[in-house]
Short mmCIF file of all heavy atoms in Angstrom, two decimals:
data_model
loop_
_atom_site.label_atom_id
_atom_site.label_comp_id
_atom_site.label_asym_id
_atom_site.label_seq_id
_atom_site.Cartn_x
_atom_site.Cartn_y
_atom_site.Cartn_z
N ALA U 23 12.48 4.33 -24.63
CA ALA U 23 12.30 2.84 -24.51
C ALA U 23 13.28 2.14 -25.40
O ALA U 23 13.22 2.34 -26.64
CB ALA U 23 10.89 2.47 -24.90
N ALA U 24 14.19 1.39 -24.83
CA ALA U 24 15.19 0.64 -25.60
C ALA U 24 14.57 -0.61 -26.27
O ALA U 24 14.94 -1.00 -27.35
CB ALA U 24 16.35 0.26 -24.74
N SER U 25 13.60 -1.25 -25.55
CA SER U 25 13.02 -2.48 -26.11
C SER U 25 11.81 -2.82 -25.28
O SER U 25 11.51 -2.18 -24.26
CB SER U 25 14.06 -3.60 -26.03
OG SER U 25 14.39 -3.90 -24.69
N GLY U 26 11.07 -3.88 -25.71
CA GLY U 26 10.01 -4.43 -24.90
C GLY U 26 8.66 -3.86 -25.08
O GLY U 26 8.44 -2.93 -25.92
N SER U 27 7.68 -4.36 -24.27
CA SER U 27 6.29 -3.91 -24.42
C SER U 27 5.72 -3.84 -23.00
O SER U 27 6.36 -4.13 -22.00
CB SER U 27 5.54 -4.94 -25.27
OG SER U 27 5.63 -6.21 -24.67
N ALA U 28 4.39 -3.60 -22.96
CA ALA U 28 3.70 -3.56 -21.68
C ALA U 28 3.73 -4.89 -20.98
O ALA U 28 3.99 -5.04 -19.76
CB ALA U 28 2.22 -3.13 -21.88
N GLY U 29 3.47 -5.97 -21.72
CA GLY U 29 3.54 -7.33 -21.19
C GLY U 29 4.87 -7.69 -20.65
O GLY U 29 5.02 -8.25 -19.61
N GLY U 30 5.90 -7.32 -21.42
CA GLY U 30 7.27 -7.53 -21.08
C GLY U 30 7.68 -6.80 -19.79
O GLY U 30 8.36 -7.32 -18.92
N ALA U 31 7.13 -5.56 -19.64
CA ALA U 31 7.47 -4.76 -18.47
C ALA U 31 6.83 -5.39 -17.24
O ALA U 31 7.44 -5.42 -16.11
CB ALA U 31 6.96 -3.31 -18.61
N LEU U 32 5.61 -5.87 -17.32
CA LEU U 32 4.92 -6.47 -16.16
C LEU U 32 5.56 -7.79 -15.80
O LEU U 32 5.72 -8.09 -14.59
CB LEU U 32 3.43 -6.68 -16.47
CG LEU U 32 2.60 -5.38 -16.71
CD1 LEU U 32 1.18 -5.72 -17.11
CD2 LEU U 32 2.66 -4.53 -15.44
N LEU U 33 5.94 -8.57 -16.79
CA LEU U 33 6.62 -9.87 -16.48
C LEU U 33 7.95 -9.62 -15.83
O LEU U 33 8.37 -10.32 -14.89
CB LEU U 33 6.79 -10.65 -17.78
CG LEU U 33 7.46 -12.08 -17.65
CD1 LEU U 33 6.53 -12.95 -16.78
CD2 LEU U 33 7.63 -12.70 -19.07
N SER U 34 8.66 -8.56 -16.35
CA SER U 34 9.98 -8.22 -15.80
C SER U 34 9.83 -7.81 -14.33
O SER U 34 10.69 -8.14 -13.50
CB SER U 34 10.59 -7.11 -16.62
OG SER U 34 11.89 -6.83 -16.14
N ALA U 35 8.75 -7.05 -14.01
CA ALA U 35 8.50 -6.60 -12.63
C ALA U 35 8.28 -7.78 -11.73
O ALA U 35 8.80 -7.86 -10.59
CB ALA U 35 7.32 -5.65 -12.61
N LEU U 36 7.53 -8.76 -12.20
CA LEU U 36 7.24 -9.98 -11.45
C LEU U 36 8.53 -10.75 -11.17
O LEU U 36 8.76 -11.15 -10.03
CB LEU U 36 6.28 -10.88 -12.19
CG LEU U 36 5.92 -12.23 -11.60
CD1 LEU U 36 5.20 -12.10 -10.29
CD2 LEU U 36 5.12 -13.09 -12.59
N VAL U 37 9.34 -10.91 -12.15
CA VAL U 37 10.63 -11.61 -12.02
C VAL U 37 11.55 -10.84 -11.04
O VAL U 37 12.28 -11.45 -10.19
CB VAL U 37 11.28 -11.86 -13.37
CG1 VAL U 37 12.69 -12.44 -13.21
CG2 VAL U 37 10.47 -12.78 -14.24
N TYR U 38 11.60 -9.51 -11.17
CA TYR U 38 12.46 -8.69 -10.39
C TYR U 38 12.07 -8.74 -8.91
O TYR U 38 12.93 -8.91 -8.07
CB TYR U 38 12.39 -7.23 -10.83
CG TYR U 38 13.18 -6.26 -10.00
CD1 TYR U 38 14.53 -6.16 -10.22
CD2 TYR U 38 12.62 -5.49 -8.99
CE1 TYR U 38 15.31 -5.31 -9.44
CE2 TYR U 38 13.38 -4.67 -8.21
CZ TYR U 38 14.76 -4.57 -8.48
OH TYR U 38 15.50 -3.70 -7.70
N ALA U 39 10.76 -8.64 -8.63
CA ALA U 39 10.33 -8.69 -7.21
C ALA U 39 10.61 -10.08 -6.62
O ALA U 39 11.06 -10.19 -5.50
CB ALA U 39 8.85 -8.36 -7.16
N ALA U 40 10.33 -11.11 -7.39
CA ALA U 40 10.54 -12.48 -6.96
C ALA U 40 12.03 -12.71 -6.67
O ALA U 40 12.41 -13.29 -5.64
CB ALA U 40 10.04 -13.49 -7.97
N MET U 41 12.87 -12.23 -7.55
CA MET U 41 14.35 -12.38 -7.36
C MET U 41 14.79 -11.73 -6.02
O MET U 41 15.47 -12.39 -5.25
CB MET U 41 15.09 -11.76 -8.57
CG MET U 41 16.62 -11.78 -8.37
SD MET U 41 17.44 -10.74 -9.58
CE MET U 41 17.04 -9.08 -8.93
N ASN U 42 14.39 -10.50 -5.83
CA ASN U 42 14.89 -9.77 -4.72
C ASN U 42 14.32 -10.27 -3.34
O ASN U 42 15.02 -10.35 -2.35
CB ASN U 42 14.65 -8.26 -4.88
CG ASN U 42 15.66 -7.63 -5.79
OD1 ASN U 42 16.82 -7.46 -5.39
ND2 ASN U 42 15.25 -7.27 -6.97
N VAL U 43 13.03 -10.57 -3.35
CA VAL U 43 12.46 -11.15 -2.15
C VAL U 43 13.00 -12.54 -1.88
O VAL U 43 13.29 -12.89 -0.76
CB VAL U 43 10.90 -11.11 -2.22
CG1 VAL U 43 10.31 -11.79 -0.94
CG2 VAL U 43 10.35 -9.76 -2.37
N GLY U 44 13.13 -13.29 -2.98
CA GLY U 44 13.74 -14.64 -2.81
C GLY U 44 15.08 -14.63 -2.27
O GLY U 44 15.49 -15.42 -1.38
N LEU U 45 15.91 -13.67 -2.73
CA LEU U 45 17.27 -13.55 -2.25
C LEU U 45 17.38 -12.95 -0.82
O LEU U 45 18.41 -12.99 -0.19
CB LEU U 45 18.10 -12.68 -3.21
CG LEU U 45 18.37 -13.32 -4.59
CD1 LEU U 45 18.95 -12.30 -5.50
CD2 LEU U 45 19.25 -14.54 -4.45
N SER U 46 16.23 -12.41 -0.37
CA SER U 46 16.15 -11.86 0.99
C SER U 46 15.62 -12.89 2.01
O SER U 46 15.48 -12.54 3.17
CB SER U 46 15.24 -10.61 1.03
OG SER U 46 15.71 -9.65 0.14
N ILE U 47 15.26 -14.11 1.56
CA ILE U 47 14.73 -15.11 2.43
C ILE U 47 15.67 -15.41 3.67
O ILE U 47 15.22 -15.47 4.80
CB ILE U 47 14.53 -16.44 1.69
CG1 ILE U 47 13.28 -16.34 0.78
CG2 ILE U 47 14.32 -17.64 2.68
CD1 ILE U 47 13.06 -17.52 -0.07
#
């Protein structure tokens, strides 16, 4: 683990999924 926490990982997953689905609109 380079950095971050459990909360950071879940927030990152939310942003990642939103970014990719949003860019697939």
Side-chain angles (χ1 to χ4, degrees):
S25 62
S27 60
L32 295 176
L33 183 61
S34 185
L36 176 66
V37 173
Y38 178 80
M41 174 193 73
N42 280 290
V43 177
L45 292 170
S46 302
I47 285 176

